Amino acid sequence: MKRFLIWVSFLTLPLLLCGCGRQEPQRLQDVDTAMGTVIQQNLYVLGEAKECPEEILKRIRDLEERTLSWRLESSEVYGINRSGGRQEGFEVSEELGQALQTCLKLTEDSGGAFDVALGPVARLWDIDGWASGQRTGGFRPPDVRVLTQALECSGSGRLRLETSADLGRDGGKARLYMEEGTMLDLGAVGKGLALDRILEYLQTNDAVLGSTVSVGGSVLTYGEKPDGTAWRVAITDPRDVSGSLGMLVLEGQWCVSTSGDYERYVESGGVRYHHILDPSTGYPADSGLCSVTVVTKEGLLSDALSTACFVLGREKGMELAGQYGVEALFVESSGEIFMTPDMEKLFRGKSDR
Ligand code: FAD
Ligand code: MG
């Protein structure tokens, strides 16, 4: 009997010790604004990791202030937009060089439907300004002649990016040459790039077990929930934005981006003018879609492809999604939903739940 008790204590002691040292995961939630949008964080962490939401916000704001803003003098895009026509070009950071390289490839692959050199046209419409209420006094679409001039100054054909062979391997260089009058607008990839920066931070932080971070229309899922259930990301109903069409059920790390005509728009004369522009016309894209959601591992790609697919429409958008090996869900103006085959495994419509 004595021997049996000794054995029992010997076997249970390590378990008890483990139990004593085990930390219970805590849930941290945070809502704030950056990049002109709402940032929602939901993190499961071990121990004292209260700084995580602040660190994540810092990275998003840094990306905006140092790299992407077209309004803040501190950013690279601001500097580049003032460098149009400069013979010696503009030396860009490795981060922006890589992003531009991917964007220029997507411009080619989308037949020009996606274009980060659409700045003159986007600033002329300024849908963001009207939609956010910063501009008041009665919206009117731009004058056709002025729009034509802005279109002539736009397009990636007016850019040339020279990169060293080691770009992306720390230390690589990139130089951008841009014709006078052209302006960059990375609004279509900013939130996705933010997801990539957040992911880098989370991957080096052992305290974070799992999280979802939503940067406007782009959502990052990462790691696991303590209860072992999957992440759920709602897809907004484009015609009733207070409701959802269904959920994406995702395990582990994913980036989900949605581009829709309901996110930023202004109405005039019964017409909805939204912020996703067709580079072939200079007008808001009219491809028969009201939203596209793309799911893939990289934020820059999910964000860029959701915009590109929106402009291309369902058929060509499906082809592009297939070419890049990503999952996509298209909502047509009629309300009909179409998906890539593997998206069907991730999506639970309202009636499936
Ligand atoms: P997405 O579909 O991902 O992108 C749409 C945006 O991409 C458009 O708003 C336009 O900027 C651009 N775009 C439109 N058509 C195309 C196309 N065919 N190809 C490529 N791009 C296209 N973002 C910045 O990057 N820098 C800023 O300085 C900045 N300032 C802002 C200030 C305010 C007050 C607000 C409200 C927003 C600001 N933004 C800025 C955000 C930006 O303007 C867009 O609103 C936002 O990026 C839209 O993201 P989305 O995910 O909704 O749409
Ligand atoms: Mg986008």
Side-chain angles (χ1 to χ4, degrees):
M1 183 61 183
K2 202 169 169 191
R3 183 181 273 180
F4 175 73
L5 280 176
I6 291 170
W7 265 106
V8 169
S9 7
F10 183 68
L11 287 172
T12 52
L13 187 65
L15 292 176
L16 286 172
L17 286 176
C18 271
C20 292
R22 216 180 120 220
Q23 295 169 307
E24 280 303 313
Q26 284 186 55
R27 187 175 186 181
L28 301 178
Q29 288 178 293
D30 188 76
V31 181
D32 214 314
T33 55
M35 283 189 168
T37 192
V38 179
I39 317 292
Q40 280 182 292
Q41 302 188 45
N42 176 37
L43 300 128
Y44 295 97
V45 299
L46 279 180
E48 290 296 311
K50 299 244 177 321
E51 76 290 350
C52 286
E54 200 50 48
E55 286 294 322
I56 286 172
L57 268 180
K58 218 193 275 177
R59 279 161 176 76
I60 302 172
R61 291 187 174 135
D62 180 65
L63 182 65
E64 181 180 14
E65 289 161 18
R66 199 168 43 83
T67 311
L68 293 179
S69 179
W70 56 72
R71 298 163 294 125
L72 303 173
E73 288 183 24
S74 54
S75 92
E76 278 190 274
V77 164
Y78 185 95
I80 290 168
N81 285 348
R82 288 170 63 98
S83 79
R86 199 195 276 177
Q87 277 214 322
E88 69 274 25
F90 196 94
E91 187 168 342
V92 298
S93 64
E94 192 163 24
E95 177 183 47
L96 185 58
Q98 268 187 285
L100 286 172
Q101 203 173 37
T102 307
C103 288
L104 292 175
K105 170 87 172 65
L106 184 56
T107 303
E108 207 179 304
D109 293 339
S110 66
F114 173 87
D115 200 326
V116 289
L118 210 55
V121 179
R123 294 293 76 72
L124 182 64
W125 282 94
D126 194 16
I127 301 290
D128 281 314
W130 290 102
S132 65
Q134 282 180 345
R135 291 189 66 171
T136 51
F139 166 85
R140 272 201 305 185
D143 175 81
V144 176
R145 261 185 323 127
V146 182
L147 184 58
T148 308
Q149 280 166 5
L151 255 182
E152 281 167 6
C153 288
S154 299
S156 291
R158 295 168 62 86
L159 306 181
R160 185 162 54 88
L161 183 71
E162 279 181 3
T163 56
S164 62
D166 59 347
L167 187 71
R169 277 181 273 125
D170 210 16
K173 289 202 181 322
R175 186 168 282 277
L176 183 72
Y177 300 86
M178 197 162 78
E179 287 183 33
E180 202 164 350
T182 306
M183 284 191 277
L184 291 184
D185 171 348
L186 275 80
V189 292
K191 294 165 190 178
L193 262 175
L195 298 191
D196 291 334
R197 293 295 86 80
I198 297 165
L199 179 61
E200 278 168 15
Y201 167 72
L202 294 175
Q203 283 171 333
T204 57
N205 192 329
D206 292 340
V208 182
L209 298 177
S211 66
T212 55
V213 183
S214 148
V215 183
S218 289
V219 182
L220 169 72
T221 65
Y222 172 78
E224 289 171 9
K225 267 201 233 171
D227 67 4
T229 59
W231 302 112
R232 285 171 176 265
V233 178
I235 298 189
T236 304
D237 181 344
R239 291 297 170 257
D240 174 12
V241 292
S242 61
S244 75
L245 292 175
M247 295 277 176
L248 292 175
V249 181
L250 303 167
E251 305 270 356
Q253 189 260 306
W254 291 99
C255 293
V256 181
S257 292
T258 299
S259 287
D261 68 357
Y262 59 91
E263 295 193 36
R264 293 167 201 262
Y265 67 90
V266 54
E267 275 172 335
S268 169
V271 180
R272 177 181 290 211
Y273 296 93
H274 60 78
H275 67 149
I276 305 169
L277 304 166
D278 183 342
S280 68
T281 62
Y283 281 86
D286 183 16
S287 60
L289 294 173
C290 46
S291 89
V292 180
T293 300
V294 169
V295 183
T296 184
K297 293 283 175 187
E298 290 165 61
L300 171 65
L301 262 192
S302 66
D303 200 359
L305 283 167
S306 68
T307 310
C309 289
F310 187 99
V311 177
L312 284 173
R314 175 167 57 98
E315 276 180 27
K316 287 185 178 167
M318 281 278 188
E319 275 173 35
L320 189 67
Q323 188 181 334
Y324 275 80
V326 304
E327 303 317 320
L329 181 147
F330 300 77
V331 185
E332 294 207 324
S333 311
S334 61
E336 251 189 297
I337 299 175
F338 296 86
M339 286 175 257
T340 52
D342 283 348
M343 187 67 131
E344 291 183 19
K345 297 177 190 153
L346 306 175
F347 181 70
R348 306 274 181 281
K350 269 185 173 163
S351 51
D352 308 332
R353 278 181 280 153

